[in-house]
Amino acid sequence: MGTPTMDPSSIDWAGLRAEGLSGFSLSVMPPTLSLPALPHAVTVFLQRSADESVPLEDLARIVETDAGLTVELLKRVNSASSGISVRVKSISQALALLGRRPTRMFLTTIGTEAAIRARKSKLINQNSFWNVCLQRALFAREVARLLKTDVDAAFAGGLLQDFLLPILSNELFDIYLEFVGQGNTAPEALAQFEQAKFEWDHAMAGACLAFQWNLPDELVCCLLYHHAGLRMLSHPKLGRSPVAAVALAAMIPDPLHTHHGMEQLVKLEKIWPDFNLEILAAAVDLQQEQAAIGVRNDFPLSRRVKSLRGERQQASAEATASAMPESKERRPIAQRAS
């Protein structure tokens, strides 16, 4: 499998988003469902930053109206995992170093996480959930580097792909509890369950809400198609895009749905020489530790990979042993006599 460079700007993101959401709107969801809203400062920033004539100083003042947003942006920009070596002390400096588009991605992820964390969930542990989301985001970014595509969109898509699940599973608790009780381990099982119950799934709902929030179309597509799995790598338009990176990251198990996606990632190594799970997992674990978000990572990706390899080696050894003919000494006496 080769990794030719693909320019995401050459993709008709608006067309793909419109096609994927065709015939769906949030109005079909239960009227009692209370969907989250982005912080006001994020909404205003997204609107104003779309105009290239708006000075960075004006955009910085928008962010600074929200103290929590300001602190989080500076904290994340200065984290070792951001890749910026200069110590950033002001929002204006952060915008100048990051640029408008990456800043939009940063604020989108920060604002969405804040909106979801403000809500309670009876079915999902929020700390564990966001820990896995960060793990997926970092993994998506590393895969995006292999694909030579947009790492910022891949990171944001990896972090936000399931952002509505805590709210949906809380407000539709009995239905999602039924899914958990089924113990289905197929990576795409949750989306199929939702389609059967609602005729929509959390990917469609999240993507539609992201579009209403005026988020970039490529990010909307990352959310919309994140359950495509390995099939996305062969997509004629999206196979080398951030969407593919997010689809692979979605195969990492989450607190609600412990599936077998990691096994498929192991198989991918055989056909994609640059894709090495041990190397990717080590990079993700290091960056997750450096991010220091205050939540202990009880399930480092390297441990998952090591455990899976051990299980596969044991299964292979048992299969080999069962396929070997019994020794003469262990055969029944009647067989030896004949």
Side-chain angles (χ1 to χ4, degrees):
M1 175 179 172
T3 55
T5 301
M6 174 175 283
D7 181 6
S9 65
S10 66
I11 299 174
D12 180 11
W13 292 111
L16 289 168
R17 180 260 305 157
E19 178 185 354
L21 290 176
S22 176
F24 175 79
S25 74
L26 295 176
S27 63
V28 304
M29 301 178 71
T32 56
L33 193 63
S34 176
L35 295 174
L38 280 177
H40 180 68
V42 176
T43 301
V44 175
F45 183 92
L46 292 174
Q47 294 171 344
R48 296 295 306 281
S49 63
D51 183 352
E52 293 293 332
S53 67
V54 176
L56 289 180
E57 292 77 11
D58 290 355
L59 297 177
R61 282 194 287 270
I62 294 172
V63 178
E64 289 166 350
T65 62
D66 188 316
L69 200 62
T70 298
V71 170
E72 282 299 316
L73 180 58
L74 290 176
K75 183 171 72 174
R76 298 198 186 195
V77 169
N78 283 309
S79 70
S81 63
S82 71
I84 294 178
S85 57
V86 179
R87 186 72 178 173
V88 177
K89 299 179 181 179
S90 69
I91 296 298
S92 294
Q93 187 182 9
L95 265 62
L97 284 171
L98 288 173
R100 292 174 185 249
R101 187 177 176 283
T103 302
R104 284 166 63 89
M105 293 294 183
F106 261 100
L107 291 180
T108 293
T109 56
I110 294 169
T112 304
E113 182 176 347
I116 302 301
R117 279 187 180 275
R119 309 282 282 274
K120 300 295 183 181
S121 176
K122 293 180 288 187
L123 195 59
I124 294 178
N125 180 285
Q126 288 278 37
N127 285 338
S128 297
F129 174 78
W130 285 107
N131 211 33
V132 172
C133 288
L134 178 60
Q135 191 175 71
R136 287 174 166 178
L138 294 169
F139 187 84
R141 186 164 65 185
E142 292 302 312
V143 174
R145 289 194 174 105
L146 294 179
L147 294 173
K148 300 180 175 63
T149 189
D150 189 333
V151 295
D152 294 320
F155 180 88
L159 189 70
L160 302 181
Q161 57 185 270
D162 286 337
F163 78 95
L164 273 188
L165 270 182
I167 290 174
L168 293 175
S169 63
N170 186 66
E171 301 202 22
L172 302 171
F173 176 78
D174 290 339
I175 297 176
Y176 279 90
L177 186 62
E178 179 185 340
F179 169 77
V180 173
Q182 290 178 358
N184 197 323
T185 57
E188 66 279 5
L190 178 57
Q192 292 174 348
F193 174 85
E194 291 169 323
Q195 285 287 345
K197 290 290 184 179
F198 313 129
E199 297 185 352
W200 52 266
D201 56 53
H202 68 280
M204 297 170 65
C208 194
L209 184 58
F211 174 61
Q212 286 193 5
W213 285 349
N214 197 33
L215 302 190
D217 281 323
E218 60 265 44
L219 181 52
V220 174
C221 288
C222 284
L223 306 184
L224 182 59
Y225 298 112
H226 76 266
H227 279 301
L230 297 184
R231 299 191 306 276
M232 187 54 66
L233 290 173
S234 59
H235 192 285
K237 297 178 181 177
L238 301 176
R240 300 295 181 273
S241 76
V243 176
V246 173
L248 294 190
M251 302 176 79
I252 296 174
D254 59 63
L256 180 63
H257 183 206
T258 305
H259 51 67
H260 290 170
M262 291 289 290
E263 295 181 357
Q264 295 185 27
L265 293 178
V266 170
K267 295 177 181 178
L268 181 60
E269 291 180 311
K270 297 179 180 179
I271 59 174
W272 188 3
D274 292 336
F275 185 83
N276 184 300
L277 267 181
E278 268 99 359
I279 293 175
L280 290 170
V284 167
D285 289 343
L286 177 61
Q287 293 170 46
Q288 193 161 13
E289 181 180 352
Q290 291 171 339
I293 61 173
V295 179
R296 190 179 68 179
N297 182 14
D298 291 325
F299 300 99
L301 197 56
S302 295
R303 185 191 301 169
R304 291 183 185 273
V305 174
K306 183 178 180 180
S307 175
L308 179 58
R309 293 215 191 280
E311 292 172 1
R312 289 174 64 87
Q313 289 174 357
Q314 181 178 353
S316 177
E318 291 175 352
T320 301
S322 63
M324 293 177 63
E326 292 181 300
S327 65
K328 184 176 181 180
E329 288 73 17
R330 296 181 57 188
R331 291 176 187 167
I333 294 176
Q335 293 183 13
R336 279 185 267 161
S338 63

